[in-house]
Amino acid sequence: MPQIDPVSAPGQEIKILSIDGGGIRGIFPARILQEIEQRTSKPIAALFHLVAGTSTGGIIACGLANNMKAEALLNLYVQDGGEIFSRSFWQRITNLGGLNGPKYSADNLEKVLLPLLQDVALKDVTSTELLIPTYAIELSKPIDSDGVQSTRMPMFFKSWKARGQGLNQGQQADDYNFRLRDIARATSAAPTYFPPAQVYNSSGDAFGAVDGGVFANNPSLCALAAAYQMYPGAKFTLVSLGTGSLERPVPYAHARGWGTLQWLHPILSVLMDGNADTVTYQCDQVLGARHFRFETTLGTDPSSPIAVNEDFDDASPDNIARLERLAAAFISANDKKIDQVCALL
């Protein structure tokens, strides 16, 4: 979509796409995006002024910004998901099921990202604006703001800043320019699942980073805030895609006696699911009818053909097939809502 000069933004309609994190459940938003492309006969990057994504949603967003079709990204998840979330027998033994190191090596993920994004730089993204959150656990140098020194903090990859637009005094475009595949690796480095990423900007500064989902699993509000700043006076339409609402209960009778080890994995899903729901509420309050949220239950009955295992990393053929059926059923049930969105794009 052609970029809009902030000077001409007042009164114009700015369209924003946001994609949640959720591991292999990225199949769900990818299938909806494929449906939108089929109905509009246009690539997603040509339909939205700004695309934001966290974790698996960040991988999809980077692919879309690199002019990939949603169908190709969907096929990547279906065909390569099992490879991303795979580990050797030796890995299972040496990391003690994830207790003595990350559950998975990053090698397979990086192997998938390389042909997908190659060496494309963030500054070269011009088909749409791109915003990807990650959490920097180690900055290249401490940042002092109003007397408060930060050594770790949320970090946002922004295509417009990588091109030198919207910079503050003393900021350089190279400081914000990274390779897309490094961005995708950083935003999807889920703690306990994958090791942290180390990424470098064009200035040569190094950052240690983990999954943006630890603070912005639904990046809709981050994208909306950036759009308000970039396009003052504009009107905004936000299309937000979830990856399935988590339904697995955390029984009080069990949790009341849990310690660090037992809470390790449940707390990650609680934080990410709670963040997504909170941001949905906030965007509803701000945008009202201009906020379109596409989300579904993952189900709790394993005998249902569209019930999905909510684990981020269940890339088994059966679960992938369930995700595809779930997406198909959702699209059928939400036909009119999808048509309404397509008519606005």
Side-chain angles (χ1 to χ4, degrees):
M1 175 166 283
Q3 295 163 8
I4 292 181
D5 189 319
V7 175
S8 63
Q12 292 216 39
E13 180 114 11
I14 300 298
K15 294 150 190 171
I16 305 167
L17 172 65
S18 175
I19 313 169
D20 286 15
I24 193 61
R25 302 197 315 270
I27 287 172
F28 179 76
R31 178 64 184 88
I32 294 174
L33 291 170
Q34 180 193 28
E35 187 71 19
I36 291 174
E37 285 189 337
Q38 289 175 344
R39 296 190 188 195
T40 61
S41 299
K42 293 180 180 180
I44 293 298
L47 297 172
F48 293 92
H49 297 93
L50 172 62
V51 176
T54 297
S55 196
T56 197
I59 293 174
I60 295 172
C62 286
L64 295 171
N66 196 33
N67 296 309
M68 289 191 67
K69 299 291 289 292
E71 181 179 11
L73 290 162
L74 173 63
N75 290 338
L76 179 143
Y77 277 82
V78 172
Q79 296 168 10
D80 296 332
E83 181 179 357
I84 293 172
F85 295 107
S86 66
R87 49 191 176 150
S88 68
F89 178 71
W90 180 247
Q91 286 175 318
R92 293 172 188 268
I93 294 176
T94 55
N95 74 2
L96 302 178
L99 296 178
N100 191 40
K103 192 173 182 180
Y104 302 102
S105 164
D107 293 347
N108 289 342
L109 175 59
E110 292 173 356
K111 181 180 177 182
V112 169
L113 293 175
L114 178 57
L116 178 72
L117 302 170
Q118 301 180 18
D119 285 325
V120 177
L122 185 57
K123 70 176 182 180
D124 297 326
V125 171
T126 57
S127 57
T128 185
E129 297 293 3
L130 185 64
L131 183 146
I132 307 290
T134 190
Y135 189 88
I137 58 173
E138 183 180 29
L139 301 171
S140 59
K141 56 182 176 293
I143 295 177
D144 194 298
S145 177
D146 297 326
V148 177
Q149 190 176 77
S150 298
T151 57
R152 55 186 174 91
M153 62 193 303
M155 180 175 171
F156 298 91
F157 300 103
K158 301 175 179 179
S159 58
W160 58 97
K161 286 207 166 188
R163 295 195 309 273
Q165 299 172 3
L167 297 174
N168 296 325
Q169 186 175 4
Q171 295 179 335
Q172 302 294 325
D174 280 350
D175 296 342
Y176 292 89
N177 188 43
F178 296 78
R179 293 187 304 190
L180 283 188
R181 61 185 168 100
D182 291 338
I183 293 172
R185 168 73 175 88
T187 192
S188 59
T192 75
Y193 287 89
F194 292 105
Q198 186 172 58
V199 296
Y200 294 83
N201 62 20
S202 294
S203 297
D205 300 321
F207 300 82
V210 297
D211 198 312
V214 299
F215 74 95
N217 201 51
N218 176 351
S220 294
L221 202 58
C222 299
L224 185 59
Y228 269 107
Q229 185 178 45
M230 279 196 295
Y231 309 113
K235 297 185 295 184
F236 301 96
T237 295
L238 170 64
V239 177
S240 175
L241 306 182
T243 57
S245 178
L246 306 185
E247 308 294 343
R248 184 183 298 156
V250 182
Y252 168 75
H254 297 163
R256 65 191 295 264
W258 285 355
T260 302
L261 189 61
Q262 294 93 338
W263 269 113
L264 191 60
H265 282 290
I267 196 62
L268 192 60
S269 64
V270 168
L271 290 172
M272 291 183 173
D273 192 50
N275 164 267
D277 291 344
T278 301
V279 170
T280 296
Y281 167 78
Q282 292 166 330
C283 290
D284 276 341
Q285 299 305 301
V286 173
L287 294 177
R290 307 302 292 185
H291 175 220
F292 296 87
R293 176 68 170 170
F294 290 88
E295 182 63 298
T296 187
T297 176
L298 295 174
T300 57
D301 180 6
S303 65
S304 169
I306 59 173
V308 172
N309 181 356
E310 68 182 45
D311 289 345
F312 306 127
D313 58 341
D314 186 351
S316 64
D318 175 67
N319 205 47
I320 287 175
R322 286 173 177 270
L323 279 161
E324 292 185 284
R325 290 194 295 266
L326 176 66
F330 180 88
I331 289 169
S332 178
N334 291 270
D335 181 71
K336 290 183 179 180
K337 184 177 179 181
I338 296 173
D339 270 346
Q340 183 185 3
V341 167
C342 290
L344 292 171
L345 297 177

